[in-house]
Amino acid sequence: MQEELKKRSEVQEQLTWDLSALYQTREEFQQAVDQLKQDVEQFSKKYEGNLSSTSIVLGALTEFESIMTVFQRTNQYAYLPASTDLTNSDYIELSRYMQNVSAELATQLSFFDTELMSVDTNTLDEAAQSEPRLAPYIRHIKKNKDIRLDPAVEKALAQLSPVLSAPESIYDQAKLADMDFGTFTVDGKDYPLSFVLYEDYYAFHPDADIRRAAFDKFSAVLRQYQNVVATTYYTQIQYEKTMATMRGFDSVIDYLLYGQEVDQELYNRQIDIIMSDLAPVMRKYAAHLKEVHSLDKITYADLKIDLDTDYSMPVTIEESKDIVADAVSSLGDDYTDRIMKAYPERWVDFVQNVGKSTGGFCSTTYDTHPYILMSWTNQLSDVYTLIHELGHAGQGILTNENNSILGSTPSLYLIEAPSTFNELLLTDYLQRKSDDPRQERFALTKMISNTYFHNFVTHLLEAAYQREVYRLVDAGKGFDAAKLSELKRGVLEQFWGEDVEINPGAELTWMRQPHYYMGLYPYTYSAGLTIATQAFLKLKEEGQPMVENWLEFLKLGDQKEPVEAAAVAGVDITTSKPLDDTIHYLDETVDRIIALTEQI
Ligand SMILES: [Zn+2]
């Protein structure tokens, strides 16, 4: 167990991120917000009802770029502190203040996209041709022309947006504020439990009795809230389905894929092939876990355990510098130097303290460096988290440098490729650095459990379940908690078959992820990782030319739709070959792990 956590006020500043790159002082931030409000008002006055020519459209988009740059920077400054300490009321107040400002500004600006959509296509094309950096934004405007509603309706929807996005916050409140997991007892000893403690600690616990008892208690508490969470989720899905219908889509799935610029073929392929072809590989790995740990059976509650629980590789933050630099060195000095600035410029909040968000994220800002949040625990898995987030950071830097702020965010389909690519570089580094079979096996199992289990299995099974829910709604049917549990259990049983016992509680996994409130996000993890794996294998095979391709891919931003963007990285996602090859690579890796066990 963790020793007692420090308060945020007691931690070493050197291990926290430095937000002064955004604004030096709170006063400076406030001045920027005040100026921003004036600029938005001016902008609306000048352009509302007046987008009548190419030059006016171009002028408006250029001013809009500056507004969005300040908008993003002030948002970063206001939201980042709260993620480091949710017990600090000043931080909460700052983020709520910005939330109100943002809603007000978004409503004032809502005319802009709506009116751009009514500008005739020739004018938009001329604007895109004369300023290619604006082409991605204009591409989306043109696409959205087909699905836009009456301007008054669009405005009403913008005003209602805090209400329409309520399901996710209700879900978060239920999960993070109301659910009380109490304690559980094993052999007369009490253990404290919380949502985060279960997911980050007990799920990996080497003692099967503690691990399984924690799961049972965790599930029992989830079950008490299943009806409120199911109703919240039902509201979310009804909202999405209604929007789909209003905007002219027969299927809510088509509507949700529209913005990703991906069709159902790519979406279904990812789910279907992983469900059928990756399943045997993962079952083989689960069976090996059972054998190595001499377990009576392997249940859903056992899947996260390490293969080699006695082997650990402690790593300090200082030591991580050389590992990261060496791991990404194949991408060249320029990339490495950019990434390594994260340490001296303090982009990363490493420290552990009370009230800090769990997990990790990277938040990029258009005209300053990215910020990364994580909690360093001196384990190798922290280096995986860090290098993953630095992958997002690297893409953010290159994409912002080469694109307008209005065209710098790639399709969701591609978003997890640069991050998982860097995880593969790390595993490769660990393999290169040692000829000890135990360390090699450790690195390979980290790759299976951190990189692939999480992105290819957990999120994909979410996606497979989510598809069933959307199909139900498309067929005009409703659902309750019992139905959701039945669907989730069905997906888990289909994937794990006879090899893993889907013990009671596993069916409640539909209550665990905020992803279900983010449209079709879960499947994109495996899509990104498929591109990353193929690019990584090409890099090993072809060397330098592939480095160039990958760096080009990182610079793309939103210039291309996913199929064309993946082609820049040398990966053809029009067929299932990249996914088939990735599964084959995983199959070989699991075989290698089993062979290494025999050697050890
Ligand atoms: Zn990520």
Side-chain angles (χ1 to χ4, degrees), residues 388-389 392 416 419 525:
H388 175 108
E389 301 307 339
H392 288 305
E416 291 298 336
S419 48
Y525 280 87

Side-chain angles (χ1 to χ4, degrees), residues 461-476:
L461 295 182
E462 285 166 33
Y465 147 83
Q466 196 185 29
R467 183 172 67 175
E468 297 306 310
V469 175
Y470 284 126
R471 282 177 173 169
L472 206 66
V473 173
D474 272 346

Side-chain angles (χ1 to χ4, degrees), residues 290 328 367 394 486 510 529:
K290 178 179 164 214
V328 302
D367 55 356
E486 179 195 318
W510 63 265
L529 185 51

Side-chain angles (χ1 to χ4, degrees), residues 116-131:
L116 273 179
M117 285 180 225
S118 17
V119 171
D120 70 276
T121 306
N122 282 342
T123 307
L124 289 175
D125 287 343
E126 265 175 39
Q129 268 160 22
S130 74
E131 290 295 345

